[in-house]
Amino acid sequence: MSDSHATVDHLLGPARRRLAQAAHRPAAREAALLLAHVLGWSEAQVIARGETVVDPAAVGRFTSLVERRSVGEPVAYLLGEREFFGRRFAVDRRVLIPRPETEHLIETVLDLPLRPAPRLLDIGTGSGCIATTLALERGDSWVVGTDISLAALALARHNAVVLGASTVRWLAGDLAEALPLASFDLVASNPPYIGVEEESFLSREVVDFEPHGALFSPGGSDTILRRLIVGAASLRSGGFMVLEVGFDQAGPLLDSMASRLLSSHLAVRELRRDLAGIPRVLVLAKE
């Protein structure tokens, strides 16, 4: 059958086989997701309309997406979006793809006893998923998102406007440089916490396509986390810092910084685990 008479089922079979041959073993359902994206349908509609003939131009776009996926480009970048906390955020290679683990950070913040109309700061905002979600979940809040990447900030601003959080302020800068942390009730961050020496253990999907500046912490896996914790000394009394941390990272980090925490009047309020049981979200409270 020629491409001019290709049906949905005719396209899905070869696409699934092509993906099955890929080294990174993408899920078979991704073929239907990519075709749904091209056609503007839902995944269920793709499955239900197997005999529908697909326009040749759409066939070409679909074939291109399948090939890009087969060499490792993340499906979120191909679709141009990723769901986070029940909302769809635009994503592309300017920003890290939001992970489900980061939703635990949101849940943790929402459980904290913040005062009415809290001032919230998201450091290293990337796609803006943390800042925008907090602004929408806490409608009375005043939120600022920062990032060292101007390209990431442009996408974060776009997401906030599209999702209805247009009041979030966006600032370019290195971490919280030049920002008075004492003026915020809470500082949140999902910073780079992977050491460059760990690159060989990561999927090529991650290493080859996602921005290294959002993944790797220069000078060691906990270097940026340490900088943030040192900066937490300037939090106001009663303020919180909430950090996402990596696998097996929290214990050694807290042990090595025990004296710093004590001298800065910072207490570990919580170390929340993710669904895999890994300590994932560290909460520090300024006494």
Side-chain angles (χ1 to χ4, degrees):
M1 181 181 294
S2 69
D3 283 351
S4 62
H5 296 90
T7 65
V8 167
D9 283 344
H10 175 262
L11 293 172
L12 288 180
R16 287 169 177 149
R17 291 192 291 274
R18 179 71 181 97
L19 294 180
Q21 295 167 357
H24 54 286
R25 310 295 291 180
R29 71 177 289 244
E30 291 182 8
L33 290 174
L34 294 174
L35 187 53
H37 173 68
V38 168
L39 297 176
W41 297 354
S42 69
E43 182 183 4
Q45 287 174 317
V46 168
I47 301 303
R49 299 176 180 178
E51 298 303 315
T52 301
V53 175
V54 179
D55 178 83
V59 172
R61 294 195 298 273
F62 174 64
T63 302
S64 174
L65 289 179
V66 170
E67 189 57 33
R68 288 165 63 186
R69 183 68 186 112
S70 70
V71 298
E73 188 168 350
V75 70
Y77 288 158
L78 298 177
L79 298 178
E81 64 180 21
R82 170 58 65 89
E83 184 173 321
F84 181 81
F85 219 78
R87 300 178 178 91
R88 295 190 179 277
F89 285 79
V91 294
D92 57 32
R93 294 181 67 170
R94 289 174 286 179
V95 299
L96 194 71
I97 299 169
R99 266 61 170 182
E101 303 89 85
T102 305
E103 295 190 358
H104 294 294
L105 184 149
I106 300 293
E107 294 165 351
T108 301
V109 171
L110 296 178
D111 287 343
L112 290 173
L114 299 175
R115 68 181 177 86
R119 297 167 66 90
L120 314 178
L121 172 63
D122 171 27
I123 297 176
T125 196
S127 66
C129 64
I130 293 175
T132 295
T133 299
L134 291 177
L136 294 171
E137 294 294 320
R138 283 293 306 254
D140 63 333
S141 61
W142 188 87
V143 183
V144 174
T146 74
D147 205 288
I148 198 169
S149 167
L150 292 176
L153 285 173
L155 186 56
R157 183 179 293 107
H158 165 81
N159 278 324
V161 171
V162 169
L163 291 169
S166 57
T167 59
V168 179
R169 285 78 168 172
W170 306 101
L171 298 175
D174 184 11
L175 300 184
E177 188 175 282
L179 282 173
L181 295 191
S183 66
F184 292 92
D185 299 288
L186 176 134
V187 177
S189 182
N190 174 22
Y193 54 69
I194 301 173
V196 292
E197 71 281 0
E198 300 174 66
E199 179 177 330
S200 61
F201 298 103
L202 298 178
S203 163
R204 301 315 304 178
E205 294 177 83
V206 174
V207 175
D208 292 344
F209 293 95
E210 298 197 62
H212 282 202
L215 286 166
F216 297 107
S217 174
S221 60
D222 63 0
T223 299
I224 293 181
L225 285 165
R226 287 175 176 274
R227 286 180 59 191
L228 289 167
I229 292 174
V230 168
S234 62
L235 287 170
R236 67 168 185 81
S237 179
F240 298 97
M241 177 171 280
V242 182
L243 304 172
E244 181 172 327
V245 297
F247 174 77
D248 204 25
Q249 199 169 40
L253 177 65
L254 292 173
D255 287 345
S256 65
M257 299 197 74
S259 60
R260 166 73 70 171
L261 293 172
L262 183 63
S263 64
S264 300
H265 303 285
L266 290 167
V268 178
R269 176 185 173 92
E270 183 180 0
L271 186 54
R272 183 169 295 200
R273 296 177 181 270
D274 63 20
L275 294 178
I278 299 169
R280 183 64 65 184
V281 182
L282 171 63
V283 182
L284 300 176
K286 184 63 177 292
E287 298 173 342

